[in-house]
Amino acid sequence: MFGNDAEFLLSLHRSHAAELRADAAADRLARSLPRPTGRGWLARRKQAGRTTDVRR
């Protein structure tokens, strides 16, 4: 499969670099998507507090 150690090391480097690029792309995608809002009782309570909060 590999003729010498240099080819093996180059192949290893390329596969590792590809994994790093894939991880970076996944991180960028995760940051670009909106975070889900909480649906629990605490989120509803905060939302209700904002609707009745009147500032003049």
Side-chain angles (χ1 to χ4, degrees), residues 8-28:
F8 172 73
L9 291 175
L10 185 58
S11 174
L12 187 65
H13 169 74
R14 286 180 178 159
S15 63
H16 185 246
E19 289 178 10
L20 292 175
R21 282 193 299 270
D23 287 345
D27 289 342
R28 281 193 304 272

Side-chain angles (χ1 to χ4, degrees), residues 1 3-5 7 9 11 13 18-22 24 28 30-32 34 37 39 42 45-46 48-49 51-53:
M1 182 173 188
N4 57 30
D5 289 341
E7 288 180 16
L9 291 175
S11 174
H13 169 74
E19 289 178 10
L20 292 175
R21 282 193 299 270
R28 281 193 304 272
R31 285 193 305 269
S32 70
T37 58
R39 297 280 187 227
L42 187 58
R45 183 176 178 153
K46 286 181 181 177
T51 57
T52 58
D53 186 19

